[in-house]
Amino acid sequence: MGLKSFVEVQSDSQFPIENLPYGVFRPTPDSEPRIGVAIGDYVLDISVIASAGLFDGPLLKNSDCFNQSNLNKFLELGRPAWKEARATLQKLLSDTEPILRDDAFLRQKALQPMDNAEMLLPVAVGDYTDFYSNINHATNCGLMFRGSENPIKPNWFCLPIAYHGRASSIVVSGTDIIRPRGQDRPKGNSPPYFGPSRKMDFELEMAAVVGPGNELGKPIDVNEAADHLFGLVLMNDWSARDIQGWECVPLGPFLGKSFGTTISPWIVTLDALEPFVCDGPKQNPPPLPYLAEKASRNYDIELEVFIKPAGQEHSYAVTKSNFKHLYWTISQQLAHHTVNGCNLRPGDLLGSGTMSGPEPGTYGSLLELTWNGTKPLSLGEVTRVFIEDGDEVIFTGCCKGNGYTVGFGKCSGKILPSPY
Amino acid sequence: MGLKSFVEVQSDSQFPIENLPYGVFRPTPDSEPRIGVAIGDYVLDISVIASAGLFDGPLLKNSDCFNQSNLNKFLELGRPAWKEARATLQKLLSDTEPILRDDAFLRQKALQPMDNAEMLLPVAVGDYTDFYSNINHATNCGLMFRGSENPIKPNWFCLPIAYHGRASSIVVSGTDIIRPRGQDRPKGNSPPYFGPSRKMDFELEMAAVVGPGNELGKPIDVNEAADHLFGLVLMNDWSARDIQGWECVPLGPFLGKSFGTTISPWIVTLDALEPFVCDGPKQNPPPLPYLAEKASRNYDIELEVFIKPAGQEHSYAVTKSNFKHLYWTISQQLAHHTVNGCNLRPGDLLGSGTMSGPEPGTYGSLLELTWNGTKPLSLGEVTRVFIEDGDEVIFTGCCKGNGYTVGFGKCSGKILPSPY
Ligand SMILES: [Ca+2]
Ligand SMILES: [Ca+2]
Ligand SMILES: [Mg+2]
Ligand SMILES: [Mg+2]
Ligand code: NI
């Protein structure tokens, strides 16, 4: 497109003018939360842009959606408003547009160095749902826990399996996670053990952020689902495998997951991801009509996980995967979620499920990478089967465009020892 | 106690001065939501009481917690404030206290006929968790779906099994519920069916309403759990058994439940329920230390379910049970929920699980009462195996005191046909 911003953007920046992801930040420790978009090494405070009257399109001119402490009100407005905001911001930031470029006072007020910004949760999450839509992950779990005959249950191929997650414990990247305590019954019929989890794991996921949503009782058609999806974040669905294993029959994961779920602070919009659309997977059996899309779209997003072992300076790549390994698309997930009449609200999160690739080096969890602790991973001088106290886990995600990169920043968290 | 209110309370009223349950209501269709307590056939608008400066205790004197559209802010204040509010209200409403009794203007403003009040959801529910803590229900489900050998899995006896529910679709009593659509695979390897649920059911539950809650990473001790529990409501965890059965392995119930969950509008406080405390069950094996209570307390609350079949004038009792059939107490549920560090927030709901008694006529769902549709129930002229379109399901709950009744009002909902 030849878009270029007057704000300096390094050639390897994840935040060029083609991206403009949304987040919520404090420019200084004492300030109120503001809504911003990332550009190069800066955050553009769009509450300042809004107060200056520069959102002059018909949908946003009189809206207070950017003078909020989270993005929910903006998300509720829907895709026409999202497109208007993007057009306004790309114009304001372009090197040919003088309004902001040549106004030193406004620029000073609106552009905050990203290094100084404290990032907060971008949305108030009403409900968080975690899907299980990656066939490699489902296969690996099936092989480990169910055996090689029919590792995947037949229902998996007929609907996007999911469970309700815990909304209260969703935290933003950089928040420490305390190792959870819980029960496990390691062997046979011995009484259960109780203590800090011995099998702390990550799950490499992305989450879709819901836009306007729907009223109770009014499903969203799969071919209209995209208009209800604002963007994507990276998500670490931290998992205590021992707790999860003992508690999860028959009602699914509970305390093995609910101690914390980390998301990246920047929501990359589907509009920014449009150049990275790729074909969805072949689905066999063909989906039932309510899940059948006119066009099945996935996104080509390179994902990587690093572990920085306790006390070390370096982090080590432990897996490389891609968001295109999604079997049920995010539109199918959303249509399925509402087909029973369940209402979604702005800011709800739909986790993708662990995004494993087809080969061992591309798996999305330590459970799979170490095959339930039987194959240790080397990280420089040390080895790991699960996460140890003081280890930091870092996810990255990016899309390589023609001469630019659209990135998600990072989603990181350090595991602290249980104080008990 | 010999407490008596100047407000006339019929001898069979569920809302004597000993009860004073909290709710949120509109006195007239256009008015803003107000917080109230039920007394006889009236709702006392406590925003009026607060504005008149009559909450004069040290904790509530300067609080705006009653000038809100839900109870969350009051819940956050904790038990000392709850006790202060109860003492103030019991005094103000007593027949020996002139302040309200003799002030016709204030009385007129504060006491609204319950018949005119539109009841709303009493809390904003951040997260809703549904436990599975009734041994009769767990046994019946096990017998139907797992067989008579070990109908209950060993983990059930070691921890209060639960799953995250859907918060967005919690509705107040009286809200119609649209029959959900979904998938089922009725037989063997045939392709799944899609359409309106053919096995609509209720689940007779109560839910505990969480008070102050806890920070992420800071568990609540089981012996302090009671201070985090404000009160109880009746809850109908509507369940589409066909959808649930096909989707729930391995991650638990999802769309079979998330189309709607109905709660009663009045939260009866644990303080009002104190006279109805009874011993908790013998637990074998003995609970792990983090679940071991100094005193194990249940509540003797008579529960009843009625169905008013479509087009009929009468409703028929289909089951009688009691909340004392809870295996894991509400304090144990709360302590377990937080032991991994999961944070609870004011207004969160903890569903008890289906409250079945030990005998067939006391089961808490049609699944159990009709033994998965094999034994039809007679309701006057008609029979039912599951809920049909136009049927209304009504729950009641009450505690019989010495000369008075503490009741929950009702929790009802009618199933409307799927419009698709
Ligand atoms: Ca997951
Ligand atoms: Ca239930
Ligand atoms: Mg999680
Ligand atoms: Mg429900
Ligand atoms: Ni939730």
Side-chain angles (χ1 to χ4, degrees):
Chain A
M1 277 203 244
L3 269 174
K4 197 172 173 315
S5 177
F6 67 85
V7 180
E8 196 196 358
V9 177
Q10 308 289 335
S11 66
D12 62 345
S13 172
Q14 302 202 348
F15 304 124
I17 195 169
E18 290 88 349
N19 191 350
L20 303 183
Y22 288 83
V24 172
F25 74 110
R26 287 186 214 274
T28 58
D30 296 327
S31 50
E32 293 294 302
R34 324 280 178 87
I35 295 176
V37 296
I39 176 80
D41 295 331
Y42 292 85
V43 183
L44 179 70
D45 181 340
I46 61 178
S47 72
V48 171
I49 300 300
S51 297
L54 297 178
F55 285 104
D56 54 3
L59 300 172
L60 295 171
K61 197 162 42 182
N62 297 310
S63 171
D64 63 352
C65 68
F66 294 129
N67 289 94
Q68 306 288 330
S69 59
N70 59 49
L71 283 157
N72 294 50
K73 199 161 179 182
F74 177 52
L75 297 187
E76 190 171 2
L77 296 180
R79 186 159 303 284
W82 307 338
K83 285 208 180 279
E84 184 177 304
R86 180 170 172 83
T88 299
L89 291 169
Q90 282 193 328
K91 180 163 171 245
L92 276 178
L93 287 166
S94 83
D95 62 355
T96 58
E97 174 63 44
I99 304 185
L100 184 58
R101 184 193 68 196
D102 296 349
D103 185 335
F105 178 75
L106 187 62
R107 240 172 36 227
Q108 173 88 4
K109 225 175 129 190
L111 282 168
Q112 305 289 341
M114 195 180 279
D115 280 350
N116 299 348
E118 179 198 358
M119 299 306 301
L120 307 172
L121 275 183
V123 290
V125 181
D127 278 290
Y128 146 50
T129 300
D130 197 17
F131 283 84
Y132 185 57
S133 293
N134 178 290
I135 196 168
N136 304 306
H137 177 66
T139 304
N140 289 334
C141 293
L143 288 172
M144 274 182 269
F145 301 116
R146 241 190 318 273
S148 57
E149 216 177 308
N150 299 319
I152 304 187
K153 290 261 183 191
N155 61 358
W156 194 94
F157 293 98
C158 298
L159 56 88
I161 298 281
Y163 65 100
H164 304 296
R166 179 81 193 175
S168 69
S169 53
I170 294 173
V171 297
V172 74
S173 177
T175 308
D176 293 332
I177 300 286
I178 296 171
R179 181 179 296 268
R181 293 182 303 165
Q183 295 190 25
D184 183 22
R185 194 176 64 166
K187 318 185 198 101
N189 287 311
S190 55
Y193 155 89
F194 176 77
S197 171
R198 298 163 174 185
K199 291 192 170 184
M200 266 298 295
D201 199 357
F202 62 81
E203 288 193 332
L204 171 62
E205 302 199 27
M206 301 194 78
V209 182
V210 173
N214 60 310
E215 272 175 65
L216 191 60
K218 305 234 163 117
I220 296 170
D221 187 275
V222 69
N223 288 305
E224 281 155 27
D227 284 343
H228 289 267
L229 293 163
F230 176 65
L232 294 172
V233 292
L234 301 169
M235 183 174 99
N236 185 343
D237 179 24
W238 301 97
S239 298
R241 300 299 179 191
D242 41 1
I243 299 171
Q244 182 185 347
W246 170 233
E247 75 182 354
C248 76
V249 177
L251 299 183
F254 181 49
L255 300 190
K257 304 278 192 177
S258 64
F259 56 90
T261 303
T262 305
I263 63 172
S264 57
W266 295 112
I267 307 175
V268 177
T269 65
L270 293 197
D271 290 323
L273 293 170
E274 189 61 29
F276 309 100
V277 165
C278 57
D279 284 345
K282 289 269 173 307
Q283 297 180 323
N284 184 17
L288 280 164
Y290 83 92
L291 291 171
E293 299 182 88
K294 284 179 191 139
S296 168
R297 295 148 56 93
N298 266 344
Y299 294 89
D300 184 352
I301 304 169
E302 294 171 19
L303 302 172
E304 208 160 0
V305 179
F306 302 85
I307 294 182
K308 187 159 167 281
Q312 295 204 29
E313 297 214 344
H314 296 103
S315 52
Y316 298 88
V318 296
T319 199
K320 273 180 200 267
S321 184
N322 194 301
F323 191 60
K324 71 185 175 193
H325 300 304
L326 193 66
Y327 184 87
W328 294 102
T329 68
I330 54 177
S331 305
Q332 289 178 317
Q333 291 175 345
L334 186 133
H336 181 67
H337 204 319
T338 65
V339 76
N340 70 340
C342 180
N343 54 330
L344 302 180
R345 295 176 293 189
D348 283 356
L349 293 184
L350 309 183
S352 60
T354 306
M355 211 40 59
S356 295
E359 290 100 30
T362 65
Y363 294 165
S365 65
L366 288 174
L367 176 74
E368 296 162 87
L369 289 164
T370 71
W371 212 253
N372 198 15
T374 61
K375 297 178 180 171
L377 275 185
S378 285
L379 308 176
E381 312 278 279
V382 301
T383 62
R384 288 291 184 269
V385 285
F386 288 104
I387 303 169
E388 303 205 351
D389 290 339
D391 288 355
E392 188 180 348
V393 179
I394 303 140
F395 293 178
T396 61
C398 69
C399 306
K400 297 273 166 54
N402 190 354
Y404 69 98
T405 299
V406 165
F408 286 78
K410 65 180 193 170
C411 174
S412 74
K414 188 195 278 186
I415 296 296
L416 301 188
S418 170
Y420 303 96
Chain B
M1 278 204 243
L3 267 175
K4 198 171 172 312
S5 177
F6 67 84
V7 179
E8 197 195 0
V9 176
Q10 308 288 334
S11 65
D12 61 346
S13 172
Q14 303 202 347
F15 305 123
I17 195 169
E18 291 88 350
N19 191 350
L20 303 183
Y22 288 83
V24 171
F25 73 110
R26 288 186 213 275
T28 57
D30 296 327
S31 50
E32 294 294 302
R34 323 280 177 88
I35 295 177
V37 297
I39 175 80
D41 296 331
Y42 291 86
V43 183
L44 179 69
D45 181 339
I46 61 178
S47 71
V48 171
I49 300 300
S51 297
L54 298 177
F55 284 103
D56 54 3
L59 299 172
L60 294 171
K61 197 163 41 181
N62 297 309
S63 171
D64 63 351
C65 68
F66 294 131
N67 288 94
Q68 305 289 330
S69 59
N70 59 49
L71 283 156
N72 294 49
K73 197 161 182 182
F74 178 52
L75 298 186
E76 191 170 2
L77 296 180
R79 186 160 304 284
W82 308 338
K83 286 208 178 279
E84 185 178 302
R86 181 171 171 82
T88 299
L89 291 169
Q90 282 193 328
K91 179 163 170 246
L92 275 178
L93 287 166
S94 84
D95 63 354
T96 58
E97 175 62 43
I99 302 185
L100 184 59
R101 184 193 69 196
D102 296 350
D103 185 335
F105 178 75
L106 187 62
R107 240 171 35 227
Q108 173 88 7
K109 225 175 130 190
L111 282 168
Q112 305 289 341
M114 195 180 282
D115 280 350
N116 298 348
E118 180 198 356
M119 299 307 300
L120 307 172
L121 275 184
V123 289
V125 181
D127 278 291
Y128 145 51
T129 300
D130 197 18
F131 283 85
Y132 185 59
S133 293
N134 178 289
I135 196 167
N136 304 306
H137 177 66
T139 304
N140 288 334
C141 293
L143 288 172
M144 273 182 267
F145 301 114
R146 241 189 317 274
S148 57
E149 215 177 307
N150 300 317
I152 305 188
K153 290 261 182 189
N155 60 358
W156 194 93
F157 293 97
C158 298
L159 56 88
I161 297 280
Y163 65 99
H164 304 297
R166 179 79 194 177
S168 69
S169 54
I170 294 173
V171 297
V172 74
S173 176
T175 308
D176 292 332
I177 300 286
I178 295 171
R179 180 178 296 267
R181 292 182 303 166
Q183 294 190 27
D184 182 22
R185 194 176 63 166
K187 318 185 197 102
N189 287 311
S190 54
Y193 155 89
F194 176 78
S197 170
R198 298 162 173 185
K199 290 192 170 184
M200 265 299 295
D201 200 357
F202 62 80
E203 288 194 330
L204 172 60
E205 303 198 28
M206 299 193 78
V209 182
V210 172
N214 60 310
E215 272 175 66
L216 191 61
K218 306 235 163 117
I220 297 169
D221 187 275
V222 70
N223 288 305
E224 281 156 26
D227 284 344
H228 289 267
L229 292 163
F230 176 67
L232 293 172
V233 293
L234 300 169
M235 184 175 98
N236 185 344
D237 179 23
W238 301 98
S239 298
R241 298 301 179 190
D242 41 1
I243 299 171
Q244 182 185 348
W246 171 233
E247 75 182 353
C248 76
V249 178
L251 299 183
F254 181 50
L255 300 189
K257 303 278 192 177
S258 64
F259 57 89
T261 303
T262 305
I263 63 171
S264 57
W266 296 111
I267 307 175
V268 178
T269 65
L270 293 197
D271 290 323
L273 293 171
E274 190 61 29
F276 309 101
V277 164
C278 57
D279 285 344
K282 290 268 175 305
Q283 297 181 322
N284 185 16
L288 280 164
Y290 83 92
L291 291 171
E293 299 182 88
K294 285 180 190 140
S296 167
R297 295 149 55 95
N298 266 343
Y299 294 90
D300 184 352
I301 304 169
E302 295 171 20
L303 302 173
E304 208 160 359
V305 179
F306 303 86
I307 293 180
K308 187 159 168 281
Q312 295 202 32
E313 297 214 343
H314 295 102
S315 52
Y316 299 88
V318 296
T319 200
K320 271 180 201 266
S321 184
N322 195 301
F323 190 61
K324 70 185 175 193
H325 300 303
L326 193 66
Y327 184 86
W328 294 102
T329 69
I330 55 177
S331 304
Q332 289 177 316
Q333 291 174 346
L334 185 132
H336 181 67
H337 205 318
T338 64
V339 76
N340 69 341
C342 180
N343 54 329
L344 301 180
R345 294 176 293 189
D348 284 355
L349 293 184
L350 309 183
S352 59
T354 307
M355 212 39 62
S356 294
E359 290 101 30
T362 65
Y363 294 164
S365 64
L366 288 174
L367 176 75
E368 295 163 87
L369 289 164
T370 72
W371 212 251
N372 198 14
T374 60
K375 297 176 179 173
L377 277 185
S378 283
L379 308 177
E381 311 278 279
V382 301
T383 62
R384 288 290 183 269
V385 284
F386 288 104
I387 303 169
E388 303 204 353
D389 289 339
D391 288 356
E392 186 179 351
V393 179
I394 303 141
F395 294 178
T396 62
C398 68
C399 306
K400 296 275 165 55
N402 191 353
Y404 68 98
T405 299
V406 165
F408 286 78
K410 66 178 193 173
C411 173
S412 73
K414 188 194 278 187
I415 295 297
L416 301 188
S418 169
Y420 302 96

